[in-house]
Amino acid sequence: MEKEELVELQVSGMHCNNCALSVHKLLEKKGLHDIYVDFANDEVKFKTDDPTSTPLIIKEIEGLGYKVSEDSIPIEEKSYEKIENKFYFSLLFTIPLFSHMFLPFHWLHNPLVQLALCTPVYILGCLHFGKSAYHSLKNGIPNMDVLIFIGSSAAFMYSLYGTIQNLGPDFLFYETAATIISLVLLGNLLEKRSVSQTTSAVRDLMLFQEVKANKMLNGEIVEIHSSEIRPGDVLVINSGDKIPVDGEIIWGEASINEAMLTGESLPVEKSKYDQAIGGTMIEKGSIQILVTKTGKHTILSQIIELMKKAQAAKPTIQKLGDKVAAIFVPVVVGISVITFFLAFYAFDVSFQKSMLNAIAVLVISCPCAMGLATPTAVMVGLGRAAKNGILIKGGNTIEEIAKLKFMVFDKTGTLTTGNFKIRALDCIQISEKKAESIISGIEGYSNHPIARSLVTELSLKSPEKMIFIKVTEEKGLGMTATDSEGNTYMFGSMQILNSDEDPGNYSLFLKMNDILVARIAIEDEIKPEAVNLIKTLKKLNIIPVLLSGDQKKKCEELGAVLGIEEIYAETMPHQKLAIIDEIKKRGKTAMVGDGINDAPALTSSDVGISMSDSSHIAIQSAEVILLKSDLSSIDNMLKIGKHTLLTIKQNLFWAFFYNIVAIPFAALGFLNPMVGALTMAFSDVIVIGNSIRLKTKSL
């Protein structure tokens, strides 16, 4: 199978969630994957197995009535294409037309004056809603614009017939046609502005990239834009400046505020050889950095991409709304037709009143609110999580978080600090100095917290390291290496011991040519926030589980201190996988881990949670990355997940409730089309407003 290619397009002309749904459904019908449609920012992304089909897909999107560009630069809308200007234009004619109902000016009651005022608004409606309705029907994806177009056209054509036949004021509904179009345009305008607030977290992050930079060039400092920076450039960054891209500090010291990345308000002290992350800010000091990553390769860009993908991933709860919205338009048209015939023929209601009731049913129906209910809440929830240093990779993960029954923890580097000290070194057949040299050399190739701690401690004690020609790491076992003389070494847990070899009270073992030559006892400290987290989980009826490759005795001691009853010790990666699968049968399960040996379990669990200082493989395997190694982030994650799901349920309730109540009221004649159009516009705003409330809501 060919590798999937990501296609990014700029699509202008999408004014509401209804437009975005039309594009999304079209791309789904084409069998594309990882579809992301953001009408507020005119962005469309998808993955395809066949990149040569992209021009055809672009043509089909244009067939829906939108403009498409493959350039990353947004398409500049002409002034008459902007939704604001369309609304103001229609309002200019609608106000005098509508005012004839309560102003005593006889000329406003003249059918020809009303026709003259309504015609420009109706033509605008045909171009805006009619064009979209036609293309949606042609592509078999009927949208909300079909209802608006039928409703406004019915009112206009009926009034035009009354004017031509001179049938009197009872046949004139020009103000209804114009008001429907104006109010729905107002709804589109409010929706676009409101949704742009729900995506502000991504936009805020993108703004961090738009900065100037001071580049060292031939001994002089030259100011350039961040887009002109290339890997290998040397940048000078002073107090108060933003760091434009990722790099390594080659000169100077600074206090760097990384709050935008981790949510941590206290600045981090950094000096030579430390990593500087693009988007963070220097509060005090001055540094020079050697640029290592630019553009899409920087940590900030990857976070932005992950957030966009997360917003595109649909929670299971949204599928209900999608199914209803898919059949909604034809059902509403059917109800409208039945309303007209029952009122006119069965209940002897006047033709005009029957027509108005049918139009009201069309106009008041609002699948937009259903379509907006989930994505707006997910966007705000993901944004709030990101500002708290919690990166959630999928909108569907939010729902999983809210339903967790078990949380499984790795021990080392997760519940404990991962800062190990050597308590005892027992050398059996080699000198202490040689043992330290071998261990320091072999562990330098591992990213495991124990390995990092041992290398740091041994480097201070003895800077000598043995050189190896080949080193490999085996999950759950340890390191294997070969030196230039052909000697083989193994360093790892008690799993590498033979049955006749005594582990004693030691944790790690060194073998040379399959003979045990040294043993190490290490000690680790519990993270200060671990005890409170376990208490919080129990209050939330989430069962904590300890799953570790460490010795049973050590795991039981840790479990006793923290209050964890369910413990699995001395497990290999494949065993961790089997245990996670068993726990999942009892309820939704999260796994919190940080090492290469946790990767399979992180992938298998319903929600994989990884620390930011974890191994690269662990980060790739997880659905949630905690940008702070502080375990209290998990408490925040659970609260955000719970309140986001609650907001989605509230939104869906109001969206369904609105339609269930409004359609019968309209069919029975209690709501005229103009009131219907107004309430339809504001039902969207209520749903979006409830989602935006999640930004500042107390958790």
Side-chain angles (χ1 to χ4, degrees), residues 56-323:
L56 188 64
I57 291 163
I58 289 173
K59 204 169 181 181
E60 299 232 10
I61 295 172
E62 288 174 336
L64 288 174
Y66 308 113
K67 288 185 179 177
V68 185
S69 168
E70 289 187 78
D71 295 330
S72 58
I73 304 159
I75 300 167
E76 190 65 42
E77 279 189 308
K78 294 182 175 69
S79 60
Y80 59 83
E81 292 174 329
K82 291 180 178 174
I83 191 74
E84 299 95 323
N85 295 341
K86 285 181 179 180
F87 169 65
Y88 296 139
F89 176 82
S90 66
L91 199 63
L92 187 69
F93 295 94
T94 303
I95 288 172
L97 182 57
F98 185 75
S99 64
H100 91 276
M101 298 174 74
F102 47 86
L103 289 180
F105 302 126
H106 293 295
W107 60 274
L108 283 175
H109 294 260
N110 187 312
L112 294 176
V113 171
Q114 290 187 16
L115 173 61
L117 287 169
C118 184
T119 301
V121 181
Y122 179 66
I123 291 169
L124 173 66
C126 288
L127 292 171
H128 185 82
F129 300 111
K131 188 178 171 185
S132 168
Y134 168 73
H135 288 301
S136 75
L137 289 170
K138 192 175 86 171
N139 286 281
I141 312 165
N143 62 21
M144 180 66 193
D145 292 341
V146 173
L147 305 180
I148 305 303
F149 180 68
I150 293 172
S152 57
S153 293
F156 182 79
M157 293 303 173
Y158 182 67
S159 304
L160 186 61
Y161 173 76
T163 303
I164 293 167
Q165 298 294 321
N166 199 23
L167 298 175
D170 288 346
F171 281 78
L172 301 181
F173 297 104
Y174 287 119
E175 75 283 349
T176 301
T179 307
I180 287 169
I181 291 166
S182 295
L183 288 174
V184 177
L185 284 171
L186 172 64
N188 287 175
L189 176 60
L190 293 172
E191 188 179 327
K192 188 154 189 172
R193 286 184 176 173
S194 301
V195 168
S196 68
Q197 287 187 46
T198 70
T199 58
S200 63
V202 171
R203 275 204 326 282
D204 290 348
L205 288 175
M206 290 173 79
L207 288 173
F208 282 112
Q209 297 176 309
E210 299 297 315
V211 293
K212 298 284 184 184
N214 295 319
K215 178 182 172 181
M216 286 285 285
L217 191 65
N218 301 324
E220 293 184 6
I221 296 174
V222 181
E223 189 181 81
I224 59 170
H225 190 267
S226 56
S227 60
E228 299 172 60
I229 301 169
R230 299 290 176 264
D233 287 350
V234 174
L235 305 180
V236 178
I237 309 158
N238 300 315
S239 183
D241 290 346
K242 274 183 190 165
I243 298 170
V245 290
D246 293 0
E248 193 174 278
I249 299 172
I250 56 173
W251 175 88
E253 295 177 346
S255 296
I256 300 177
N257 186 332
E258 295 184 344
M260 51 70 62
L261 186 74
T262 64
E264 179 57 64
S265 57
L266 292 173
V268 181
E269 300 298 324
K270 296 205 174 186
S271 56
K272 196 173 181 181
Y273 304 127
D274 286 336
Q275 188 186 24
I277 301 167
T280 58
M281 180 181 279
I282 295 183
E283 288 198 352
K284 191 172 70 177
S286 181
I287 56 171
Q288 289 181 16
I289 68 166
L290 179 69
V291 177
T292 55
K293 292 175 184 174
T294 60
K296 292 180 181 178
H297 303 291
T298 62
I299 290 171
L300 183 57
S301 291
Q302 287 168 8
I303 288 172
I304 290 167
E305 282 309 303
L306 279 172
M307 283 189 68
K308 286 182 177 180
K309 282 180 188 173
Q311 289 173 358
K314 292 183 182 182
T316 312
I317 197 168
Q318 188 173 346
K319 291 172 185 173
L320 173 64
D322 286 353
K323 282 177 184 174

Side-chain angles (χ1 to χ4, degrees), residues 459-646:
S459 296
L460 292 170
K461 190 177 177 184
S462 172
E464 287 183 25
K465 291 183 183 180
M466 182 174 279
I467 307 297
F468 299 99
I469 58 170
K470 185 184 177 184
V471 181
T472 55
E473 183 170 5
E474 282 190 64
K475 292 179 186 178
L477 280 176
M479 308 294 290
T480 306
T482 309
D483 66 16
S484 57
E485 294 173 11
N487 294 310
T488 58
Y489 301 85
M490 283 190 79
F491 183 72
S493 64
M494 62 186 296
Q495 309 279 359
I496 70 170
L497 296 180
N498 300 326
S499 56
D500 59 336
E501 290 170 328
D502 179 25
N505 288 320
Y506 295 91
S507 321
L508 299 168
F509 307 88
L510 175 64
K511 282 184 153 187
M512 179 177 172
N513 297 324
D514 208 30
I515 297 168
L516 184 64
V517 293
R519 303 181 295 185
I520 291 182
I522 55 172
E523 54 189 11
D524 186 13
E525 60 179 337
I526 299 169
K527 286 187 176 177
E529 64 278 6
V531 176
N532 285 335
L533 175 62
I534 301 303
K535 284 179 182 174
T536 302
L537 292 177
K538 287 182 174 180
K539 281 180 190 171
L540 297 170
N541 293 319
I542 297 172
I543 299 167
V545 179
L546 180 58
L547 176 60
S548 174
D550 211 343
Q551 292 171 338
K552 189 176 181 181
K553 185 184 174 186
K554 287 190 174 183
C555 291
E556 287 173 347
E557 285 173 359
L558 179 65
V561 172
L562 295 178
I564 300 175
E565 287 89 25
E566 195 169 337
I567 297 166
Y568 301 89
E570 298 175 12
T571 54
M572 299 286 284
H574 68 276
Q575 292 170 319
K576 285 187 175 184
L577 199 59
I579 291 164
I580 289 287
D581 287 339
E582 281 302 312
I583 296 172
K584 276 169 67 179
K585 290 174 185 174
R586 292 152 56 194
K588 291 281 179 190
T589 303
M591 167 75 191
V592 189
D594 71 329
I596 189 170
N597 57 324
D598 297 320
L602 287 168
T603 306
S604 176
S605 61
D606 295 305
V607 180
I609 303 168
S610 170
M611 310 300 221
S612 64
D613 53 1
S614 305
S615 70
H616 178 70
I617 292 173
I619 288 172
Q620 290 297 312
S621 305
E623 284 85 29
V624 179
I625 301 165
L626 307 179
L627 297 175
K628 289 188 284 187
S629 56
D630 186 341
L631 284 172
S632 60
S633 295
I634 293 175
D635 186 21
N636 280 335
M637 176 201 76
L638 293 169
K639 286 175 182 173
I640 290 167
K642 176 189 167 186
H643 283 274
T644 303
L645 188 63
L646 180 66

